[in-house]
Amino acid sequence: PRPRRHASLPPPPPPIRLTARTVSARVAHATGKFTEGKGIAMVKVGDRLPEGRVLQTGEGGAQWVSTRDLFAGRRVVLFGLPGAYTGVCTTAHVPSFVRTKPRFEAAGVDAILCLAANDPYVLEAWARDTGATAAGIGMLSDPAGDWIEALGVLFDLPERGFLRRSRRFAALIEDGVVRIWHEEESPGTCEATAGEAMLAALEAQMA
């Protein structure tokens, strides 16, 4: 008799490649501590932003946008945060830029943009809920965290459900070059990266 055929087994999972992010996530899971990706230097004042792509929503839905095109020839305030609908991001970080948006415009800033690893539709809804849309603050989605990683601000906090998220920062970008850079030591803090702190740094630079 013919041998009995068995259902084919699924292929084995690919081997895990121990990247800096993977090691970072494992350390965070084991220790319960905030950890950050290693091996990519964080951008600093005077650096040109790394090139990449982010998602923005518009009348035609979500569209990929080149970061080179996004910042070319413009003075932009860019701030990054761990995620939409999280505590400090919702109650402090975004509202600080909503409050200061008119003063940034008076100082010659062309746009204020918020970067996060959420999908673009979540960011769009969150922007409406926080008043960012009404204030004219744009949202940039980097769902895979690739551009966030290129900026050197990637972090993992698995026990909170955060993987490949952005550390909290705020920057002034002129024609793609970093002119001011502020970052928080803890993702739960919003002081140096708040709209008021960035505005004060910008006004001091212009004085």
Side-chain angles (χ1 to χ4, degrees):
R2 292 183 178 180
R4 185 176 180 181
R5 300 189 61 172
H6 297 277
S8 60
L9 296 174
I16 296 175
R17 186 165 64 92
L18 290 178
T19 62
R21 179 181 70 85
T22 305
V23 173
S24 170
R26 289 182 175 184
V27 170
H29 182 73
T31 64
K33 295 180 179 179
F34 162 80
T35 61
E36 59 189 64
K38 306 295 182 183
I40 297 179
M42 183 175 61
V43 297
K44 59 185 184 300
V45 172
D47 286 350
R48 182 166 291 280
L49 289 176
E51 293 187 17
R53 296 192 311 161
V54 290
L55 281 164
Q56 280 188 306
T57 55
E59 293 182 0
Q63 302 288 334
W64 287 105
V65 181
S66 160
T67 56
R68 173 191 280 184
D69 296 339
L70 198 57
F71 294 97
R74 299 204 298 167
R75 178 185 255 189
V76 178
V77 169
L78 172 69
F79 67 102
L81 40 76
Y85 294 106
T86 58
V88 175
C89 302
T90 301
T91 62
H93 208 176
V94 168
S96 74
F97 283 98
V98 172
R99 289 192 301 269
T100 54
K101 177 72 159 48
R103 293 178 62 188
F104 276 112
E105 290 178 343
V109 170
D110 297 305
I112 298 179
L113 301 174
C114 173
L115 173 68
N118 301 97
D119 72 73
Y121 303 104
V122 166
L123 287 180
E124 183 180 33
W126 185 54
R128 288 196 301 268
D129 291 346
T130 57
T133 299
I137 295 172
M139 294 285 158
L140 304 181
S141 167
D142 184 17
D146 293 335
W147 195 56
I148 291 170
E149 184 173 17
L151 290 171
V153 294
L154 189 76
F155 86 94
D156 296 320
L157 194 60
E159 72 277 9
R160 298 283 182 87
F162 287 173
L163 293 175
R164 294 185 71 78
R165 297 299 181 103
S166 173
R167 299 207 298 269
R168 196 178 305 282
F169 73 88
L172 175 69
I173 314 297
E174 293 181 345
D175 193 24
V177 176
V178 179
R179 298 304 183 193
I180 299 172
W181 181 271
H182 292 173
E183 187 187 355
E184 304 290 354
E185 293 185 4
S186 165
T189 303
C190 181
E191 296 174 355
T193 60
E196 288 82 1
M198 176 56 62
L199 184 63
L202 172 59
E203 291 175 339
Q205 190 179 81
M206 295 172 62

